[in-house]
Structures are given as C-alpha cells and as structure tokens.
C-alpha cells in the first residue's frame, strides 16, 4: 500500500514497534501471538503459523515492517461507506438523539478496552466538536474516518 500519508506510516510504525517486544526490527511468531491476544483474537499455534506464512512474504520466518505494513494497512486504513459509519454511529448513540455525548463516547471506548482518561476523552470530543455544543453529530463523527 503505497498511498499512505506520513502520519499513517508513523501510526503503523508505532504499532509495529509496540509489538516488536525485543526491538529486533521484526515480529516473531511469539510476538504475533501477543498481537493477536492484544486484539482479543484467539488463535491456535497452527492458526498463528498460517498467519505468519501469509504475512512473511520473503520467507524469513519473521515479519519485517514492510510485510507488516502491507498486511495491516489495507484493513487498518479502510475507507468506510457512509452507511457503515451510520450503522456504527447508531450503535454508539444509545439514547437515539442523533448525537454522541461524553458518556456515550466513554462507554464505547471502555468497550474497546481503551483506557483513555476522562480528560483525554474530553480533548477528543473538543477536537471533533466543530459546533461547540459538546456533542458529536454524525457529520462530525464521519470526520474521524476521512
């Protein structure tokens, strides 16, 4: 995937470095199991081995950053349709009022095991809230995915 922005490449590099526990510049099968566990994906040793084979294009036995980027970027930076975004928004908007409040956003982030502090969530809301009404509209929500 060669159309990544510098910011997207940095994001992937940060993720790669997080999973490259021994800082070898590659992700081993054991480290890949850690990645899957962190993503709450249960995979047997055989499934992990198959995933390694799919990602390890140069057959080195490890996943280098380029292989990681090529495997992860297409789904990580996928463009969502307006319909997909609306479905997600409706699930997050638990009271159905057409806006995401601080409490709704916090609930979603907790469900995703994101341990952001309330001040971080407030800062996120402020950056998305272009109208200053302390709520996130659907259009404001969509800007997250542009």
């Amino acid at each position: 995937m060669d159309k990544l922005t510098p910011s997207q490449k940095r994001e992937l590099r940060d993720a790669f470095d997080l999973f490259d526990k021994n800082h070898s510049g590659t992700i081993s099968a054991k480290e890949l199991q850690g990645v899957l566990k962190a993503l709450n994906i249960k995979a047997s040793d055989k499934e992990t081995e198959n995933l390694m084979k799919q990602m390890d294009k140069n057959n080195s036995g490890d996943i280098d950053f380029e292989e990681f980027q090529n495997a992860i970027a297409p789904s990580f930076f996928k463009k969502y349709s307006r319909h997909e975004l609306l479905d997600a928004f409706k699930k997050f908007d638990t009271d159905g009022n057409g806006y995401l409040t601080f409490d709704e956003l916090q609930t979603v982030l907790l469900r995703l095991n994101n341990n952001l502090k309330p001040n971080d969530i407030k800062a996120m809301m402020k950056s998305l809230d272009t109208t200053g009404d302390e709520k996130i509209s659907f259009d404001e929500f969509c800007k997250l995915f542009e």
Side-chain angles (χ1 to χ4, degrees):
M1 191 165 185
D2 56 341
K3 295 188 181 188
L4 295 177
T5 66
S7 174
Q8 289 172 322
K9 285 183 183 180
R10 240 185 344 273
E11 226 176 303
L12 284 175
R13 173 52 79 176
D14 289 345
F16 181 85
D17 290 345
L18 180 69
F19 297 126
D20 178 16
K21 298 285 186 197
N22 65 359
H23 309 290
S24 65
T26 60
I27 295 176
S28 66
K30 185 177 180 181
E31 289 168 327
L32 181 59
Q33 282 189 316
V35 171
L36 297 173
K37 187 176 180 182
L39 296 172
N40 212 16
I41 298 171
K42 293 180 181 166
S44 67
D45 289 343
K46 186 69 175 165
E47 290 168 325
T48 303
E49 182 182 320
N50 288 337
L51 184 56
M52 279 293 292
K53 286 179 184 174
Q54 290 173 11
M55 293 175 76
D56 182 18
K57 297 297 183 190
N58 65 6
N59 297 315
S60 66
D62 291 318
I63 302 165
D64 62 31
F65 178 68
E66 188 173 324
E67 291 167 330
F68 177 81
Q69 178 177 283
N70 290 338
I72 301 297
S75 57
F76 193 70
F77 296 114
K78 176 187 183 259
K79 291 284 186 186
Y80 295 96
S81 72
R82 195 157 174 86
H83 180 74
E84 289 171 312
L85 292 174
L86 183 58
D87 284 346
F89 184 84
K90 285 179 179 178
K91 287 177 183 159
F92 301 156
D93 179 19
T94 55
D95 63 6
N97 70 352
Y99 294 95
L100 298 182
T101 63
F102 172 84
D103 290 337
E104 288 168 328
L105 188 57
Q106 186 175 37
T107 299
V108 168
L109 293 171
L110 286 172
R111 267 196 249 149
L112 296 173
N113 286 329
N114 193 322
N115 295 325
L116 288 175
K117 295 186 180 1
N119 285 342
D120 295 330
I121 298 169
K122 286 177 186 171
M124 180 189 296
M125 284 200 63
K126 189 174 183 175
S127 72
L128 292 172
D129 180 16
T130 57
T131 60
D133 60 2
E134 298 185 359
K135 304 183 274 192
I136 306 301
S137 69
F138 175 64
D139 287 334
E140 290 167 332
F141 177 77
C142 288
K143 291 191 187 323
L144 265 175
F145 301 92
E146 290 177 353

